[in-house]
C-alpha cells in the first residue's frame, strides 16, 4: 500500500510540475469600464489601405458618370474610396486625376465623347488643366491591386497626340 501511495504522490508531483502556465498571466481589470482594446480586422485593413491613395481626387471620363449610375456605387469606386481616394462626378479645384476608360484611348475616342470633352473644358475653366493627371483608368485599378500609388507617368494619356491620331 505504501508503494502505491508514493507512486500516486510522485505522479501528482510530476503532474503539477508539468502543468503549462500561461505566458502572460491574466490581469484583473481595475474597473468594469476598462477593457483591453480589441481591434476589428476591418479597422486594421482600413488603417493599412487608406493611406495608399489619400489625397487623390478622381473623376471618371467617358460617356456617362459612373457615380450617378443607379443607387449603388460600382465596386471600383467603393474599393478606391477604401484606399483613400475621393471620387467626384464633376471636376473640382481639388481634382487631381481624370480617369479615362481604355476605349477612349484610341484614335477618335475622346473626340467622339462629348462628356469627356466637357470635362476637359471644365479643367481649363477651373485652372487645373496643367496639374491634372490625365490617365488610363487602369492606373487606379493597378494601384489598388498593388496597394501602392503607382507612377502616373506609366499610364499618362498624351491628349495632344491622341487628338492628332487619324
Amino acid at each position: 500500500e505504501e508503494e502505491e501511495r508514493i507512486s500516486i504522490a510522485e505522479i501528482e508531483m510530476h503532474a503539477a510540475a508539468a502543468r503549462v502556465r500561461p505566458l502572460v498571466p491574466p490581469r484583473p481589470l481595475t474597473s468594469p469600464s476598462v477593457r483591453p482594446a480589441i481591434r476589428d480586422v476591418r479597422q486594421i485593413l482600413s488603417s493599412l489601405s487608406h493611406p495608399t491613395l489619400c489625397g487623390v481626387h478622381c473623376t471618371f471620363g467617358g460617356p456617362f458618370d459612373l457615380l450617378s449610375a443607379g443607387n449603388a456605387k460600382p465596386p471600383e469606386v467603393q474599393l478606391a474610396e477604401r484606399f483613400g481616394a475621393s471620387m467626384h462626378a464633376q471636376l473640382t479645384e481639388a481634382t487631381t486625376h481624370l480617369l479615362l476608360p481604355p476605349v477612349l484611348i484610341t484614335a477618335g475616342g475622346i473626340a467622339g465623347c462629348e462628356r469627356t470633352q466637357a470635362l476637359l473644358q471644365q479643367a481649363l475653366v477651373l485652372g487645373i488643366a496643367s496639374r491634372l493627371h490625365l490617365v488610363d483608368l487602369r492606373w487606379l485599378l493597378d494601384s489598388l491591386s498593388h496597394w501602392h500609388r503607382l507612377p502616373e507617368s506609366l499610364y499618362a494619356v498624351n491628349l495632344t497626340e491622341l487628338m492628332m491620331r487619324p
Side-chain angles (χ1 to χ4, degrees):
E1 286 182 19
E2 195 171 317
E3 282 183 27
E4 285 183 30
R5 288 186 190 160
I6 294 173
S7 296
I8 293 173
E10 285 178 355
I11 291 172
E12 288 175 354
M13 181 178 75
H14 288 293
R19 285 193 186 110
V20 177
R21 295 184 182 181
L23 295 176
V24 179
R27 296 181 314 184
L29 298 176
T30 54
S31 74
S33 64
V34 178
R35 300 255 188 262
I38 298 174
R39 293 186 65 194
D40 188 324
V41 70
R42 292 170 291 195
Q43 293 171 334
I44 295 168
L45 285 175
S46 178
S47 70
L48 294 173
S49 64
H50 194 269
T52 304
L53 295 176
C54 191
V56 171
H57 297 266
C58 300
T59 299
F60 287 98
F64 60 93
D65 174 24
L66 287 178
L67 298 178
S68 62
N71 292 336
K73 292 179 183 179
E76 300 87 351
V77 172
Q78 293 176 22
L79 190 58
E81 289 175 341
R82 285 187 193 134
F83 276 77
S86 297
M87 310 305 279
H88 307 279
Q90 294 295 319
L91 294 178
T92 68
E93 290 180 358
T95 304
T96 57
H97 294 74
L98 179 58
L99 306 171
L100 297 174
V103 71
L104 289 184
I105 307 173
T106 60
I110 289 180
C113 183
E114 292 177 19
R115 181 173 177 277
T116 301
Q117 287 180 9
L119 289 170
L120 293 170
Q121 277 301 119
Q122 188 180 7
L124 291 170
V125 171
L126 291 170
I128 63 170
S130 62
R131 65 170 176 77
L132 183 66
H133 293 284
L134 189 61
V135 293
D136 185 326
L137 172 61
R138 291 174 281 202
W139 168 81
L140 175 67
L141 302 176
D142 290 350
S143 291
L144 296 175
S145 68
H146 286 88
W147 286 55
H148 178 73
R149 181 175 171 174
L150 297 174
E152 288 86 350
S153 59
L154 299 176
Y155 299 85
V157 175
N158 187 324
L159 189 58
T160 307
E161 287 180 14
L162 194 58
M163 295 303 272
M164 294 176 82
R165 290 182 185 172

